[in-house]
Amino acid sequence: MTPVELSRTVLHAVRRAVDEGELAVAVLPERVVVAPPGPGGCGDYATNVALQLARPAGQPAPAVAELLRTRLIRTDGISDVVVTGPGFLNISLDGGADARLARLVRDILRAGPQYGHSDTLAGQTVELHAAHDARAVVLMDAVARVLRSQGARPRLTCAGPPEDAWVRILGVPNDIPSDIPAGTGTGTDAPLRPVPAPADPTPLGRDAARWALLHPALHDRPHIRDSQSEQHLAQRETNPLFRVRYAHARIRALLRNAADLGFTPEPGPLTSEGDGPLTSEGDGPLTSEGDGPLTPEGDGPLTSEGDGPLTADRDAQGLLPLLADHPRVLAATAAHRAPDRLARHLVAVADALAPLLPSVLPLGDEKPSAAHRARLALAEAAGTVLAGGLSLLGIDAPEHL
């Protein structure tokens, strides 16, 4: 059970308690935050949802926590629930860290690039209206892709017909209706008003141009004027798009090399009995200076803070919470109409992946082990997340780079 799934499980328990009259709460929380237990806590995750519900329910927090504990303890995937302190729920999951890691990797590989897609917005029609501006139209296209991944039906309109170059080079749809005022449909009207690009982005080509327009937040100006454009094409670590695409291409190369050596990915423990800690000596991580993991206000961190460790292996410590959090990132990107959240999340995944890659293949006369197969499976899962995220941004995930 991933942190996102556990959060939904706790919220479902709250809703059932309300529906069955055990809790009298007028307004339910939209989501439940789960995090590693603090001092005095225990288990894999803890939540303070009982403290949040106590006052509106007119009950002491420990009583609310006990009520929820009896529901959660009967849930598949949860082995124990303990109430501590003023009413914290401490939750232990079935299986150890290795079992949770294997489940996460299998879930990702089973879903493929659709990992994180959901039907949360099924049946909703969302109107998106863009000005006749390259960045606004590319942004609208990316938002529509993410909305579809969450089950919504976006309806796109534009203040004018998209330019031919936007369709040919930037990959925006050529059938967007124009001259239709925003707010005339039946869905949710969400006009998109990003800061316009200061120059024509098309000379960058499709992938670099879309990244240059989507990676900055809507209120930030894209850096595509004169010499600034070169950074989006540079094949070096200072270019975040290069780091993401390079990470994906390197994973594909590792899978080809592993096949040549006669072994395939298989989720499991990342270290074999007797193995020492994996290191990345001689092949340090690609840096993310100035472009670290996104931590949007009110949406919880996308880093390992707030997500308990899924494995003891230090080279994967930063990567696993990011992979587990990918469904929430897609949901937040759709809710806030903000593809920059997804773009920066992909950069965080690529940077967290780098320390793991040198230890995926056996070295010298070393024979492929179960740990090698597990590391290869984890790398493939990360590549799957990168490929799926880039696809939603309308950017190619290369096999070679």
Side-chain angles (χ1 to χ4, degrees):
M1 185 181 298
T2 67
V4 172
E5 291 170 337
L6 178 58
S7 173
R8 291 172 180 165
T9 298
V10 177
L11 184 57
H12 179 69
V14 172
R15 288 173 175 163
R16 288 289 302 275
V18 171
D19 290 344
E20 294 177 15
E22 294 182 343
L23 278 179
V25 180
V27 179
L28 294 176
E30 293 184 0
R31 66 187 185 98
V32 171
V33 176
V34 296
C42 58
D44 296 303
Y45 297 97
T47 176
N48 65 348
V49 66
L51 281 77
Q52 296 174 344
L53 295 172
R55 175 169 294 183
Q59 298 186 44
V64 176
E66 180 60 26
L67 186 155
L68 296 176
R69 188 195 72 81
T70 58
R71 291 180 172 275
L72 291 170
I73 198 66
R74 300 193 298 266
T75 304
D76 290 341
I78 294 178
S79 61
D80 194 19
V81 183
V82 177
V83 179
T84 60
F88 291 104
L89 284 165
N90 297 261
I91 302 169
S92 298
L93 303 180
D94 285 339
D98 289 335
R100 295 198 297 277
L101 163 65
R103 282 198 296 268
L104 172 64
V105 172
R106 287 194 183 96
D107 287 346
I108 295 174
L109 296 181
R110 188 181 302 114
Q114 283 72 47
Y115 171 64
H117 292 206
S118 76
D119 57 0
T120 304
L121 303 179
Q124 295 188 29
T125 298
V126 181
E127 292 185 13
L128 301 172
H129 185 77
H132 190 256
D133 167 76
R135 188 186 186 195
V137 175
V138 168
L139 175 70
M140 180 170 65
D141 177 46
V143 170
R145 292 168 183 257
V146 179
L147 284 168
R148 291 188 192 100
S149 79
Q150 303 303 298
R153 296 191 302 268
R155 178 177 180 268
L156 281 58
T157 60
C158 183
E163 301 292 336
D164 178 63
W166 301 352
V167 176
R168 287 186 298 104
I169 300 175
L170 302 182
V172 302
N174 61 1
D175 58 352
I176 301 176
S178 59
D179 301 321
I180 299 177
T184 58
T186 59
T188 302
D189 186 25
L192 300 173
R193 300 188 181 92
V195 174
D200 180 12
T202 57
L204 291 172
R206 173 170 174 162
D207 292 337
R210 288 184 71 100
W211 183 269
L213 297 174
L214 296 173
H215 181 248
L218 275 65
H219 55 269
D220 292 334
R221 188 176 300 278
H223 295 170
I224 58 172
R225 188 187 297 277
D226 302 329
S227 61
Q228 294 176 333
S229 296
E230 297 177 4
Q231 67 181 337
H232 301 296
L233 300 172
Q235 295 196 19
R236 54 175 179 260
E237 294 179 9
T238 54
N239 178 1
L241 175 59
F242 170 73
R243 300 209 299 274
V244 172
R245 300 177 84 220
Y246 173 78
H248 179 268
R250 190 172 175 191
I251 292 166
R252 302 309 299 173
L254 288 172
L255 288 165
R256 292 191 295 270
N257 293 340
D260 292 341
L261 293 173
F263 75 99
T264 56
E266 179 60 40
L270 298 183
T271 54
S272 299
E273 190 173 343
D275 281 353
L278 305 181
T279 66
S280 56
E281 189 174 337
D283 197 357
L286 297 174
T287 60
S288 60
E289 186 174 343
D291 199 49
L294 172 64
T295 54
E297 253 183 53
D299 253 332
L302 306 186
T303 63
S304 57
E305 294 178 40
D307 288 310
L310 295 174
T311 175
D313 186 81
R314 68 183 186 186
D315 286 342
Q317 199 66 250
L319 174 62
L320 293 167
L322 293 168
L323 299 183
D325 205 35
H326 186 66
R328 188 197 64 79
V329 174
L330 294 186
T333 298
H336 297 280
R337 320 289 192 253
D340 61 286
R341 294 178 179 233
L342 174 57
R344 285 182 278 173
H345 178 65
L346 298 181
V347 176
V349 170
D351 290 345
L353 172 67
L356 175 73
L357 297 183
S359 61
V360 169
L361 298 181
L363 301 175
D365 295 332
E366 190 180 9
K367 300 297 183 182
S369 65
H372 288 114
R373 291 191 289 272
R375 296 168 203 158
L376 184 63
L378 176 58
E380 184 180 17
T384 299
V385 167
L386 294 176
L390 286 172
S391 176
L392 290 176
L393 296 177
I395 296 173
D396 179 54
E399 293 280 323
H400 306 270
L401 193 62

